[in-house]
Amino acid sequence: MKPDLRSAWKNNVLVGDGAMGTFLYQKGFPVGISYEELNLTSPEVIEDVHRSYIGAGAVLLESNTYSANYDKLSKFGLEAKVGDINRAGVRIARRAAGESGYVVGAVGSIRAGKRANLSGTELKRFYTEQFSALLEEQPDGILLETFYDVEELHLALRSVRKLSDLPVICQLAVDETARTLDGLTLPEAFHILEQDGADVIGFNCRTGPNGIKRALKSLQGNLKLPASIYPNAGIADYVDGQYRYGASPEYFGQMAPVFADMGARIIGGCCGTTPQHIAEISAALRGYTPQPLPEPTGQRDPERLIVQEHLAEDEERDGREPTLVDLVKERHTVIVELDPPRDLDIAKFMRGAEALRKAGADALTLADNSLAVTRMSNMALGHLVQARTGLRPLVHIACRDRNLIGTQSHLMGFDALGIDHVLAVTGDPARFGDLPGSSSIYDLTSFEIIRMIKQLNDGIAFSGKPLKQNANFVIGAAFNPNVKHLDKAVERLEKKIASGADYIMTQPVYDPELIARIAKATEHLEIPIFIGIMPLASGRNAEYLHNEVPGIQLSPEVRSRMQGLEGEAGRAEGVRIAKELLDAATAHFNGIYLMTPFMFYDMSVQLLEYVWAKQGRKLSPLFR
């Protein structure tokens, strides 16, 4: 009887198989079809590929299920066959492996390095469906391969660990930078995956043997688990209408003992490799005796456990992604505003969004031509932020710029893009902006637009006609507490809540005593409030805000402290004042709304770090 998979790699280097997709391409199957569907339509073809690798010396086969998830299969109209395709994939590989071979259920990244518009809930659902089908056929283990970022791999690993204690092999796809796509060094990435319960961690795809050798070398001294190595056969070249890979089988044979000496216990091939490559690996490792692996300590790093708890705390509630309202009920939650640019260059804006994501912002909020000054569409930027960084966008929608037709159309577009957090505002009159001759529409008041958005959530258009599905907007309302009669402002706020507002975002507050009064005046309200804090950038900025911007008042003390300060000195003092305000705000409210002045997003980063340090919340390296 063969040993289980964990025992097998403890004292031996297991030879894996080679490519499936590129090998099928070489056999005449075109690009653009679902190779996984062949498990059902042409199982003999897939079994023949598996047998060719077994014949070449492979002892570990991957099922032909790399892209057999709901998202990928839906592109071919095969989403209803996820279970059938995955189960068939394991059965076919098992027949080919025989009694002495091992089979792992192969699962690939869904995002594939792109910030696809897929929520964490959707990813977990897709992975769980695929894992469940694979596990029904009792493979020897699970292989998670070609993951570009640790965030998604972490999610997939946690999903399979909820279903099974089978061995799990995790493989990253990295380039010559030896970092994951979400910015982690390889020691950081490996340590997180080790703590998550991975049995083997390694690399596949994206680069050839030399690139993977460099990646593995960067881990020397940090490799606490067996490694798995599946390089590409070099870089693909398009010659005479076909893709060809240049790394020879002999080269793979030469590299196999090198990888084994560096701690690899599974060695196979990825794109471009063939049975000839696997035969050379097998021959090179025949009689090879690996060095003993480090003994597992059985201990888990307490700091990493805190990291995992942080990652777990934002998981789904009742089968959905937690909204900001969900989060703020449980912990301090920070929204950060970054103004869309006034020109066509978005580079700095996107750098700012990424920096704020790494600093732990819970959402990035984008105004809708604030102060009636023309800026880039927050719909477009919100979508880019979501797709490129994964940070949740919270978009403002003003009554000023669109009539009823345009407003509903705009909201329908947000729904289609998966942007579901909005802030409904009246909007400053157009005559005060950079195009004073333009018209202010105001078909709706802020109360009415809240009610109309709620109507979309009920599946009813503004016209009263039914829609084919319900929207899922989480609706914020604005609140200006910088007024003489706070009680009157709260009464207005109560009307917005009655209209359907789910949460409140305030204008910036610069007085700790006012923050305490706001807390007292709103303690009867049942929805969360995000207190606005905007760091001052200079003395001139302070005077402008106090004297010229509606809804903002600075205390005499703040104006005095900022007087005459410019440049770095002004920003430093502005951050100090903001930290004092945060101390007051976090004592009374879980919700914080940071506003970034003049694209100085490093100021907001400092304040985010201050909030999390004050709360004792340790951020995962995934967010750094």
Side-chain angles (χ1 to χ4, degrees):
M1 183 176 178
K2 70 182 180 184
D4 65 68
L5 192 51
R6 288 189 177 99
S7 300
W9 65 49
K10 184 173 182 180
N11 300 308
N12 299 283
V13 179
L14 305 183
V15 178
D17 55 9
M20 175 63 75
T22 57
F23 192 40
L24 290 170
Y25 172 75
Q26 292 172 15
K27 292 170 73 72
F29 289 87
V31 173
I33 68 169
S34 170
Y35 291 147
E36 286 77 10
E37 186 185 15
L38 297 176
N39 293 346
L40 302 180
T41 60
S42 301
E44 70 285 353
V45 171
I46 303 303
E47 186 170 344
D48 182 61
V49 174
H50 286 320
R51 289 188 181 280
S52 67
Y53 284 123
I54 290 290
V59 297
L60 180 68
L61 294 180
E62 302 176 33
S63 60
N64 179 39
T65 53
Y66 171 77
S67 293
N69 58 72
Y70 183 98
D71 181 68
K72 302 295 185 186
L73 291 177
S74 67
K75 295 173 173 58
F76 304 97
L78 299 170
E79 62 271 20
K81 296 185 177 181
V82 171
D84 294 339
I85 289 173
N86 280 279
R87 287 188 289 268
V90 177
R91 289 197 299 268
I92 295 167
R94 181 69 74 195
R95 287 198 300 269
E99 292 297 320
S100 59
Y102 297 91
V103 172
V104 289
V107 175
S109 164
I110 296 175
R111 286 178 174 166
K114 303 172 184 176
R115 284 287 174 179
N117 186 23
L118 292 171
S119 69
T121 297
E122 289 173 309
L123 289 173
K124 281 177 272 192
R125 185 171 73 248
F126 297 158
Y127 281 127
T128 298
E129 180 184 25
Q130 186 176 8
F131 290 141
S132 298
L134 291 169
L135 292 168
E136 284 182 40
E137 295 297 327
Q138 300 181 324
D140 298 293
I142 295 292
L143 172 65
L144 306 177
E145 60 178 339
T146 325
F147 281 77
Y148 292 77
D149 59 87
V150 176
E151 183 179 6
E152 187 185 4
L153 183 49
H154 164 91
L155 185 151
L157 179 53
R158 286 173 64 92
S159 297
V160 72
R161 275 285 168 249
K162 290 179 180 178
L163 300 174
S164 173
D165 62 355
L166 281 177
V168 179
I169 303 162
C170 295
Q171 293 184 162
L172 292 159
V174 298
D175 60 15
E176 66 278 358
T177 63
R179 281 182 177 266
T180 64
L181 203 61
D182 44 356
L184 274 69
T185 66
L186 296 183
E188 288 174 332
F190 273 48
H191 190 54
I192 290 172
L193 297 171
E194 177 192 352
Q195 294 297 313
D196 279 343
D199 293 278
V200 175
I201 310 173
F203 305 100
N204 77 290
C205 206
R206 205 171 182 186
T207 186
N210 190 54
I212 287 184
K213 178 184 173 184
R214 288 198 301 271
L216 198 57
K217 189 174 182 180
S218 73
L219 283 156
Q220 297 307 293
N222 293 285
L223 197 60
K224 296 181 174 62
L225 292 176
S228 58
I229 303 298
Y230 285 73
N232 284 349
I235 300 172
D237 193 14
Y238 193 66
V239 181
D240 297 331
Q242 287 191 321
Y243 290 100
R244 297 180 182 176
Y245 290 81
S248 69
E250 293 76 17
Y251 178 52
F252 268 64
Q254 294 166 14
M255 294 297 295
V258 176
F259 288 136
D261 289 343
M262 297 176 76
R265 291 296 178 269
I266 303 172
I267 303 176
C270 200
C271 299
T273 58
T274 65
Q276 288 73 35
H277 291 82
I278 302 308
E280 290 291 338
I281 292 172
S282 178
L285 294 174
R286 197 168 293 127
Y288 178 90
T289 302
Q291 295 295 314
L293 291 167
E295 288 296 323
T297 64
Q299 298 177 348
R300 309 196 79 182
D301 184 339
E303 183 168 324
R304 280 303 164 188
L305 292 178
I306 293 172
V307 165
Q308 290 180 350
E309 288 168 7
H310 162 68
L311 288 167
E313 73 184 3
D314 290 351
E315 287 184 354
E316 65 211 276
R317 281 107 168 134
D318 302 324
R320 60 176 173 79
E321 281 290 294
T323 67
L324 291 175
V325 174
D326 294 324
L327 296 182
V328 78
K329 290 177 180 178
E330 298 183 9
R331 62 166 173 83
H332 282 90
T333 302
V334 185
I335 299 166
V336 185
E337 181 169 301
L338 201 62
D339 276 337
R342 297 176 64 175
D343 53 37
L344 299 179
D345 183 359
I346 67 168
K348 186 174 182 179
F349 178 91
M350 296 306 299
R351 288 196 300 271
E354 178 63 16
L356 294 168
R357 180 194 69 82
K358 290 181 177 179
D362 292 294
L364 188 78
T365 184
L366 301 92
D368 189 14
N369 300 319
S370 60
L371 301 179
V373 173
T374 310
R375 294 180 179 272
M376 188 174 288
S377 159
N378 62 4
M379 177 187 283
L381 283 177
H383 175 63
L384 290 174
V385 165
Q386 185 172 252
R388 294 185 186 180
T389 74
L391 186 57
R392 186 200 307 265
L394 188 164
V395 295
H396 303 196
I397 181 164
C399 301
R400 175 195 58 233
D401 296 334
R402 303 168 195 89
N403 62 14
L404 281 167
I405 298 169
T407 300
Q408 180 176 322
S409 173
H410 200 54
L411 286 159
M412 292 169 75
F414 284 134
D415 183 75
L417 293 172
I419 297 174
D420 55 8
H421 282 63
V422 297
L423 175 71
V425 297
T426 302
D428 303 294
R431 67 180 182 274
F432 297 136
D434 62 340
L435 294 172
S438 60
S439 300
S440 294
I441 307 298
Y442 297 129
D443 273 5
L444 296 165
T445 66
S446 58
F447 303 101
E448 290 168 336
I449 194 172
I450 292 169
R451 285 197 296 270
M452 299 305 274
I453 299 172
K454 279 291 183 183
Q455 188 170 306
L456 296 181
N457 285 356
D458 292 332
I460 306 296
F462 287 7
S463 65
K465 294 179 180 178
L467 300 168
K468 290 186 177 180
Q469 64 185 44
N470 295 5
N472 293 290
F473 289 112
V474 184
I475 309 162
F479 173 45
N480 178 21
N482 298 300
V483 293
K484 186 175 181 180
H485 300 290
L486 185 59
D487 57 334
K488 298 295 183 183
V490 172
E491 287 178 10
R492 180 177 172 84
L493 186 56
E494 290 169 347
K495 293 178 182 178
K496 292 185 178 182
I497 296 171
S499 296
D502 299 302
Y503 62 96
I504 303 298
M505 293 167 63
T506 81
Q507 290 278 19
V509 180
Y510 290 96
D511 184 352
E513 292 184 5
L514 177 56
I515 291 174
R517 287 199 289 121
I518 296 168
K520 181 67 176 175
T522 61
E523 62 184 357
H524 63 289
L525 302 181
E526 296 182 354
I527 68 172
I529 294 177
F530 289 81
I531 288 291
I533 306 289
M534 182 165 68
L536 299 164
S538 67
R540 284 183 298 169
N541 173 228
E543 290 305 304
Y544 169 74
L545 291 174
H546 179 75
N547 291 294
E548 299 187 39
V549 177
I552 297 181
Q553 288 184 0
L554 274 60
S555 68
E557 180 193 355
V558 166
R559 293 173 66 195
S560 175
R561 288 174 63 177
M562 292 300 299
Q563 187 174 7
L565 296 179
E566 300 295 332
E568 290 186 12
R571 293 193 294 275
E573 184 63 23
V575 168
R576 280 191 288 272
I577 292 170
K579 287 179 178 179
E580 295 166 12
L581 293 167
L582 284 171
D583 288 340
T586 54
H588 296 284
F589 297 95
N590 268 6
I592 301 296
Y593 168 28
L594 295 177
M595 295 166 231
T596 306
F598 306 113
M599 287 297 289
F600 289 129
Y601 54 80
D602 58 311
M603 298 175 75
S604 293
V605 166
Q606 293 177 60
L607 297 176
L608 277 165
E609 292 172 345
Y610 181 76
V611 172
W612 301 144
K614 180 179 171 64
Q615 302 305 317
R617 179 179 171 192
K618 294 177 183 279
L619 286 179
S620 161
L622 297 178
F623 296 96
R624 292 180 189 151

